[in-house]
Amino acid sequence: MPIPLKIAVCGASGRTGSRAAALAAGDPRFHLLARVDRGRAAEFEDQVGACGAVIDFSVPEATVRYAAACPRAKVPFISGTTGLSDVQRTQVAAGAKRAPVFLASNFSKGVTLMVHLAAEAARRLAGYDVALVEKHHKAKKDTPSGTALSLARAVMESRGAQEPVSTVSLRLGDVVGDHDLLFAGPFERLTIAHQAQSRDVFAQGALEAAVWVAKKKPGLYGMPDLLGLR
Ligand code: NAD
């Protein structure tokens, strides 16, 4: 039996972080060392050196703080927090010079493949109109979702286009996360659709990313690397 990976979960009281902590606590591959949340950042800084990886689902300002502590201790940092500004993302990514940093706006394998397919469809269906509809629960803070931004970026980069992808964001009920990407051309429409049925898909994905990235050299990684898509 391999030695369990010692992890801390930041944002551990939140909807997604609590699921990552619960799944880790029930999985022999992990030793859950710390559940970190608001007001316990100082405690985290004392514990981080004992961790084999840190998983974060919190808020951008907290992510930046947690991210800064990890490379100092040479500990891999895995974050799913969305809504980071370009400056915050650059600050987080800077840690990759000293330790592995794994960033994912969506830890689902299905969505990772969807982003890949979006680029392919945008290239093959040149000239077709593209639109995106995303639905999430009412408490979601960022709009459009980080996943919607990744899908739109994939389409725009694939086409070398400047104009943004028309996006509709709906906040309703307790929807975990739905994304529909539509391509419409003469006499036909193609829809690439994904529904997350439980937050466990993200929580489990982050745990798999931690196992994977814990063996890597310092660098910036994401779900396409884990799935061999680049
Ligand atoms: P949530 O509001 O339920 O949880 C956020 C957590 O952060 C809470 O535990 C809260 O106490 C903590 N927090 C808030 N302010 C803080 C501060 N200043 N310092 C430290 N901790 C603080 O949110 P959620 O739905 O779990 O989502 C968290 C983040 O993860 C969001 O950005 C969301 O978009 C993202 N998310 C990403 C994925 C993915 O696959 N990448 C999946 C789900 C959610």
Side-chain angles (χ1 to χ4, degrees):
M1 188 69 175
I3 300 166
L5 181 64
K6 291 182 185 163
I7 61 163
V9 175
C10 300
S13 313
R15 279 176 289 264
T16 318
S18 62
R19 290 307 306 153
L23 292 173
D27 185 330
R29 293 177 301 163
F30 301 97
H31 174 181
L32 181 60
L33 213 59
R35 296 172 198 256
V36 183
D37 217 296
R38 203 195 290 260
R40 291 170 65 186
E43 219 173 295
F44 169 72
E45 290 185 9
D46 290 342
Q47 287 169 319
V48 67
C51 294
V54 170
I55 294 176
D56 162 67
F57 286 102
S58 62
V59 292
E61 54 274 28
T63 297
V64 170
R65 221 172 42 234
Y66 299 138
C70 288
R72 282 201 294 267
K74 301 225 183 308
V75 172
F77 181 67
I78 300 97
S79 179
T81 303
T82 58
L84 275 72
S85 66
D86 289 347
V87 170
Q88 287 170 323
R89 200 185 142 81
T90 303
Q91 288 171 330
V92 172
K97 292 193 197 95
R98 300 189 64 186
V101 174
F102 191 111
L103 302 180
S105 61
N106 196 308
F107 281 104
S108 121
K109 289 181 188 163
V111 161
T112 306
L113 190 58
M114 183 178 179
V115 174
H116 190 72
L117 296 174
E120 181 72 10
R123 185 163 45 246
R124 305 255 176 207
L125 301 177
Y128 280 39
D129 292 331
V130 190
L132 187 49
V133 181
E134 59 106 343
K135 305 184 197 98
H136 283 86
H137 56 91
K138 286 191 281 197
K140 183 161 179 64
K141 294 198 175 86
D142 49 323
T143 300
S145 68
T147 303
L149 293 174
S150 300
L151 286 164
R153 196 178 314 115
V155 168
M156 289 168 67
E157 286 177 2
S158 172
R159 287 189 166 176
Q162 297 298 319
E163 70 271 24
V165 175
S166 162
T167 302
V168 174
S169 297
L170 301 174
R171 297 290 172 262
L172 63 170
D174 59 358
V175 178
V176 174
D178 291 356
H179 293 86
D180 291 2
L181 182 64
L182 297 94
F183 293 84
F187 317 115
E188 65 170 349
R189 279 197 306 278
L190 169 70
T191 304
I192 308 175
H194 181 272
Q195 293 94 36
Q197 292 174 328
S198 158
R199 279 193 183 83
D200 284 12
V201 71
F202 312 127
Q204 188 65 39
L207 292 172
E208 299 305 332
V211 170
W212 183 85
V213 86
K215 300 186 197 106
K216 298 289 178 201
K217 293 187 184 135
L220 187 59
Y221 302 95
M223 288 298 286
D225 301 304
L226 192 153
L227 293 189
L229 292 171
R230 68 177 170 212

